[in-house]
Amino acid sequence: MKIALLGVGQAGGKVADAILDYEAASRVDFVTDAVAINSARADLLGLRMIPVDKRVLIGQSRVKGHGCGADNELGVTVAEEDIDEVRGAIDDLPVHEVDAFLVIAGLGGGTGSGAAPVIARELSRLYTEPVYGLGILPGSDEGGIYTLNAARSFRTFVREVDNLLVFDNDAWRRSGESLQGGYATTNGEIARRLGVLLSAGEVSEPPVPESVVDASEIINTLSGGGVTTIGYANSRLDRPSRGLFGRRAPDPDETDVVNRITTTVRRATLGNLMLPANVESTERALVVVSGPPQYLSRKGIEGSRRWLEEATGTMEVRGGDYPIPESDYVAALVVLSGVTDVPRIKELQQIGAETQRNLEARAAERPEALRDLIWGGDGDIEPLF
């Protein structure tokens, strides 16, 4: 599946960079072009994989290249005011080669959470190809304002895209991990999942999949809107490269192959989602199993699809294989689309609402408190003018 990437804000640009890095390292080709959009000049300069001429600085007249400072209403404003510059960058994309657009943003900050829905809306207005979003939730310990930003951006973003993929930082944060190391880990997780999904159908030489997961399979899985989460798990293979006296190693036992595939798919679904959710609330699903051809069993893949149907309660489960001859792993990628029972999203909305009420109450009290500060005390002091 061929996509055009648009990384918006600091987190969006870094994730887009990581996806391009994965594409280059894996020697696959699924990104037709990529653009980074930001109101902070320093964030654009810090990118590695997105070409300089594909980096768009917005909001210069308002924020002078210093970012929106976690003000996502300002992020909306600068995106709307500079939409012509954004449109100019999009016009240069080879849209005739694109199956879909992917707009990526962190939802807790200012530029990404505010501008991404604006850009998604503009893409939907201009093009007939699907526009998907990828939103990264802030950690619950990052503070109320970031949670409120994420809650408001989520409600807006999910309405403006054909489907919103969500990654929860809370689910992936490790104790004692540095800030830079933590972001590198999460960005790598996102890139790997999207990379496996999007490259699965891009096979140009043997061995070819028995069941190809092409762009139409992905688009149909993501149709209908809503929220999507992606699971991934792998199992390392302990296999000799050659048998005795340099002969070809014997094929693995069929029962072991089937069991490995089924176990890996279950791990991806039940314990390794980028946004934890109740799998029974899934509307549509897709499973891709990758690995060396001799470890990809039709029986195992079909059995995994049936298990996924039972686990999710939906009959709309697509799937296929992705042979990688030199791989040392059997890996499973599971897409759960249209999930509706997501505890983290409910928590986000609840905390966001409490934060907004608190901010409004403090704003109402502030004028009187300020008068007391200025005019209180003994005596009547006149201002200079």
Side-chain angles (χ1 to χ4, degrees), residues 34-46:
V35 175
I37 301 159
N38 208 327
S39 62
R41 184 179 285 107
D43 291 339
L44 291 175
L45 292 174

Side-chain angles (χ1 to χ4, degrees), residues 92-352:
D92 290 336
L93 298 177
V95 178
H96 61 284
E97 301 174 9
V98 172
D99 293 312
F101 295 92
L102 181 63
V103 182
I104 310 169
L107 301 188
T111 304
S113 67
V118 175
I119 293 167
R121 181 180 62 194
E122 184 68 6
L123 287 168
S124 296
R125 188 181 72 84
L126 294 173
Y127 303 106
T128 57
E129 290 79 8
V131 177
Y132 303 126
L134 170 60
I136 299 111
L137 301 182
S140 56
D141 60 352
E142 291 186 37
I145 188 63
Y146 295 97
T147 302
L148 175 57
N149 282 349
R152 297 184 70 193
S153 181
F154 170 81
R155 285 193 175 188
T156 312
F157 205 6
V158 74
R159 188 184 64 212
E160 300 297 341
V161 293
D162 291 285
N163 200 299
L164 182 62
L165 288 68
V166 181
F167 185 93
D168 180 20
N169 267 321
D170 262 5
W172 293 90
R173 182 163 298 173
R174 297 173 184 169
S175 177
E177 193 169 40
S178 70
L179 194 63
Q180 184 174 1
Y183 286 137
T185 300
T186 56
N187 292 348
E189 282 290 341
I190 295 170
R192 178 166 58 178
R193 288 158 196 253
L194 289 174
V196 171
L197 175 64
L198 298 170
S199 61
E202 299 298 319
V203 179
S204 57
E205 57 187 40
V208 297
E210 286 196 31
S211 180
V212 178
V213 178
D214 59 15
S216 63
E217 298 287 309
I218 299 171
I219 290 171
N220 287 334
T221 301
L222 298 178
S223 66
V227 174
T228 288
T229 181
I230 301 176
Y232 176 87
N234 60 35
S235 173
R236 187 174 182 86
L237 300 170
D238 183 15
R239 60 186 180 119
S241 58
R242 291 188 179 276
L244 193 62
F245 305 118
R247 295 174 183 169
R248 180 179 177 272
D251 286 338
D253 180 76
E254 174 70 11
T255 301
D256 291 343
V257 169
V258 171
N259 289 340
R260 185 187 295 271
I261 290 173
T262 304
T263 299
T264 307
V265 169
R266 290 189 185 204
R267 285 174 47 222
T269 306
L270 300 178
N272 228 2
L273 297 173
M274 66 183 197
L275 174 70
N278 178 0
V279 299
E280 294 179 3
S281 69
T282 303
E283 186 175 350
R284 297 165 301 278
L286 180 147
V287 58
V288 181
V289 181
S290 66
Q294 63 270 35
Y295 287 86
L296 299 180
S297 158
R298 175 186 287 272
K299 182 178 179 182
I301 295 170
E302 290 301 320
S304 296
R305 285 177 59 179
R306 288 194 299 273
W307 174 84
L308 197 54
E309 286 179 358
E310 294 173 4
T312 59
T314 177
M315 298 299 291
E316 198 170 345
V317 178
R318 297 171 173 84
D321 60 299
Y322 179 22
I324 308 174
E326 303 304 319
S327 177
D328 290 324
Y329 296 87
V330 167
L333 180 121
V334 176
V335 179
L336 304 180
S337 177
V339 292
T340 53
D341 187 356
V342 187
R344 180 73 174 97
I345 295 295
K346 293 176 182 177
E347 177 192 49
L348 183 84
Q349 299 282 9
Q350 190 173 36
I351 296 174

